[in-house]
Amino acid sequence: MLDVAPTELLLVAVVALLVIGPKDLPKAMRFVGKWVGKARGVARQFRSGFDAMVRESELAEMEKQWAAENERIMREHPPTPALPAPQPEHFAPADADPVDADPVMVEQPALFSEPPEDPAPKPKRTRKPKAAAPDEPQS
């Protein structure tokens, strides 16, 4: 975009110092800085809006491609019809002899004959008294 070489920037600074003067130069630089900041903000907002529009159009295009691909796959591999629900005439009548006898209820086996015993609690450890420093008197 704008290509400003260091020598050009130095020339602009010297001309600004001579034309504006050293007294008003800080005010002028602040003014120019505010306008440059506003211009950058507008450019940033424009760029982000443009990027959002591009993303939305790419997303819409991808959705169209996915829909076309899904339609192609569904044409090539049609879904199989679900199995029909069983009808009552398929079941054996209630008065027919059962092939198996009635189930026999048995007691569930016990995994442990007795609950496991709790281990004995460990005795508390006692702390050793601290050794007195050699230059401290013992009490």
Side-chain angles (χ1 to χ4, degrees):
M1 277 172 73
L2 295 174
D3 189 23
V4 180
T7 55
E8 293 172 348
L9 189 63
L10 183 63
L11 180 66
V12 169
V14 169
V15 170
L17 184 62
L18 292 175
V19 172
I20 298 173
K23 185 177 177 184
D24 295 328
L25 189 62
K27 289 180 185 177
M29 293 303 290
R30 234 178 275 123
F31 181 77
V32 169
K34 283 182 184 179
W35 278 101
V36 168
K38 286 182 182 181
R40 283 185 176 177
V42 168
R44 188 179 318 116
Q45 186 176 7
F46 176 75
R47 190 177 328 125
S48 67
F50 186 75
D51 288 344
M53 287 178 8
V54 168
R55 274 193 306 269
E56 288 175 6
S57 67
E58 287 176 351
L59 183 61
E61 184 179 323
M62 289 174 79
E63 285 177 352
K64 287 178 185 176
Q65 288 176 350
W66 290 336
E69 183 68 16
N70 188 28
E71 186 178 325
R72 183 190 64 80
I73 291 172
M74 293 304 286
R75 266 190 322 235
E76 290 178 5
H77 308 283
T80 58
L83 294 176
Q87 300 299 321
E89 61 264 6
H90 295 298
F91 296 113
D95 59 345
D97 292 333
V99 177
D100 294 326
D102 290 334
V104 178
M105 300 298 287
V106 294
E107 206 175 298
Q108 207 171 20
L111 298 176
F112 298 105
S113 58
E114 304 177 352
E117 296 180 18
D118 292 335
K122 294 182 180 178
K124 281 191 168 182
R125 291 176 48 187
T126 57
R127 294 187 176 190
K128 295 180 183 177
K130 293 184 178 179
D135 36 324
E136 288 184 16
Q138 293 182 355
S139 39

